[in-house]
Amino acid sequence: MIGLGGAEFRLPLLIGLFGFAALSAVILNKAMSPVVVLVELPARLAAVPGTEAAARWPVAVNLLAGSLLGAWAGASRAVRMRSATLHKVLAALMLLRLRCRSRPRRRTGAGPRAAARACPVRGSG
């Protein structure tokens, strides 16, 4: 289960190993995402009690809405880019994500908002 951020694993494989064009890899990755969610859903439901998940429904709705809006906005931009530009954008985003993941967290007590400001792409995944 890769979780959020599975594209950082799948996109390099689709582009580098399987030879997909950048846009085709992005589209295939988006098509695979619901399949991944459906496969991992039983394990997640077994791990988290339904009452606890239901108590946090606003968080789930916000995550879903943000994901859908972000995917729509990203897709509308990606289809207008040249392939070389899209490759560069994907590479830059993955490097930024890798940089944020490898940076050690400091225990300042400032909470997740301070971490989000320090690294805007930090998240679970």
Side-chain angles (χ1 to χ4, degrees), residues 45-120:
L45 289 175
V48 178
T51 55
E52 191 167 330
R56 290 174 173 72
W57 70 268
V59 174
V61 169
N62 281 323
L63 284 172
L64 180 60
S67 296
L68 291 173
L69 288 172
W72 178 78
S76 66
R77 287 188 182 255
V79 296
R80 289 189 228 127
M81 285 184 193
R82 292 187 333 220
S83 183
T85 304
L86 184 56
H87 270 276
K88 290 175 186 173
V89 168
L90 290 173
L93 288 173
M94 288 187 195
L95 287 173
L96 180 63
R97 176 76 172 158
L98 179 65
R99 180 174 170 255
C100 290
R101 279 191 162 195
S102 63
R103 183 183 309 164
R105 285 188 171 187
R106 286 186 277 166
R107 302 275 183 206
T108 61
R113 289 184 187 214
R117 283 192 300 273
C119 192

